[in-house]
């Protein structure tokens, strides 16, 4: 058996603003540790576990725990992809917050009546998440609807390339240095840095 393929590595995408640009809503220290520590860690670990799987595929290692390997692959690759969406979904102070426009505003109005009701339901959903995870709004190709959903940890319900429009990280590393155990305060503050242009851009990519 000869397998020649050299797999391309995962890479940490650039942060689209300075680490302090989301202040006062999200402290620079949080963004620094979150991006340079956690996200970078997911990228590095993704490459490590992909390499390990490659060795298994090529028969270079014969003793391995495939279940444990898959668990680490899913955790790290999904972690990398979800964070890549999260960073772009926020904008520096003065450019974020407010309300969406375009197609996203139309769909929100159709499904939620108005933006304030959407914000209320999204916030309730985010605050209901037990432990760590994500709250997302994604575009469902099957019926053309926006769908609200929570993911526990990086594992459950998540398909890495799900058409996510809006995403909120609710791991403690996303808020604890500033908000401690008051996660709902972080969720409330996050609305001030939502990048609606990015959310609209994401949606436009999915809608055919
Ligand atoms: Fe995170």
């Amino acid at each position: 058996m000869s397998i020649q393929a050299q797999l391309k590595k995962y890479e940490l995408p650039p942060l689209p603003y300075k680490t302090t640009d989301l202040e006062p809503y999200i402290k620079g220290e949080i963004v620094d540790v979150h991006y340079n520590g956690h996200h970078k860690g997911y990228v590095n670990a993704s490459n490590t576990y992909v390499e390990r799987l490659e060795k298994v595929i090529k028969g270079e290692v014969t003793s391995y725990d495939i279940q444990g390997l898959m668990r680490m692959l899913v955790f790290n690759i999904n972690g990398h992809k979800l964070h890549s969406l999260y960073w772009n979904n926020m904008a520096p102070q003065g450019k974020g917050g407010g309300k969406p426009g375009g197609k996203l505003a139309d769909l929100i109005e159709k499904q939620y009546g108005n933006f304030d009701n959407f914000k209320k339901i999204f916030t309730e959903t985010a605050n209901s998440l037990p432990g760590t995870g994500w709250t997302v709004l994604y575009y469902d190709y099957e019926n053309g609807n926006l769908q609200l959903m929570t993911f526990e940890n990086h594992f459950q319900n998540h398909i890495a390339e799900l058409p996510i429009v809006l995403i909120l990280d609710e791991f403690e590393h996303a808020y604890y240095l500033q908000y401690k155990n008051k996660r709902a305060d972080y969720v409330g503050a996050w609305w001030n840095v939502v990048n609606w242009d990015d959310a609209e851009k994401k949606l436009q990519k999915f809608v055919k």
Side-chain angles (χ1 to χ4, degrees), residues 83-103:
H83 282 88
S84 299
L85 296 171
Y86 173 71
W87 300 123
N88 285 300
N89 228 192
M90 294 186 288
Q93 196 192 355
K95 293 183 183 157
K99 294 181 180 183
K103 176 83 179 160

Side-chain angles (χ1 to χ4, degrees), residues 34-35 38-39 42 79 82-83 86-87 133-134 154 169-174:
H34 198 173
Y35 174 75
H38 293 275
H39 190 171
Y42 297 135
L82 290 167
H83 282 88
Y86 173 71
W87 300 123
W134 303 76
H154 291 177
D169 187 343
E170 297 187 70
F171 275 62
E172 287 183 348
H173 62 227

Side-chain angles (χ1 to χ4, degrees), residues 1-120:
M1 180 172 59
S2 171
I3 301 171
Q4 304 294 334
Q6 287 292 313
L7 299 186
K8 210 174 153 204
K9 304 269 186 223
Y10 289 105
E11 287 177 14
L12 183 68
L15 191 67
Y17 35 74
K18 295 201 297 292
T19 53
T20 51
D21 279 351
L22 302 179
E23 291 182 349
Y25 306 108
I26 303 176
K27 272 169 73 168
E29 187 187 6
I30 290 180
V31 177
D32 181 29
V33 172
H34 198 173
Y35 174 75
N36 292 307
H38 293 275
H39 190 171
K40 195 173 178 187
Y42 297 135
V43 171
N44 292 342
S46 294
N47 289 323
T48 298
Y49 290 108
V50 164
E51 255 174 54
R52 203 163 293 175
L53 180 60
E54 267 188 280
K55 286 194 171 124
V56 170
I57 292 168
K58 290 177 178 171
E60 291 172 10
V61 290
T62 50
S63 174
Y64 49 83
D65 166 18
I66 197 76
Q67 193 179 46
L69 180 52
M70 283 301 138
R71 195 169 164 77
M72 295 316 289
L73 269 173
V74 172
F75 180 79
N76 287 291
I77 293 175
N78 282 346
H80 161 48
K81 288 178 181 285
L82 290 167
H83 282 88
S84 299
L85 296 171
Y86 173 71
W87 300 123
N88 285 300
N89 228 192
M90 294 186 288
Q93 196 192 355
K95 293 183 183 157
K99 294 181 180 183
K103 176 83 179 160
L104 182 54
D106 292 345
L107 283 180
I108 285 174
E109 197 177 321
K110 185 175 147 200
Q111 291 181 233
Y112 289 86
N114 57 55
F115 176 73
D116 288 343
N117 193 42
F118 163 73
K119 188 174 172 181
K120 175 176 167 281

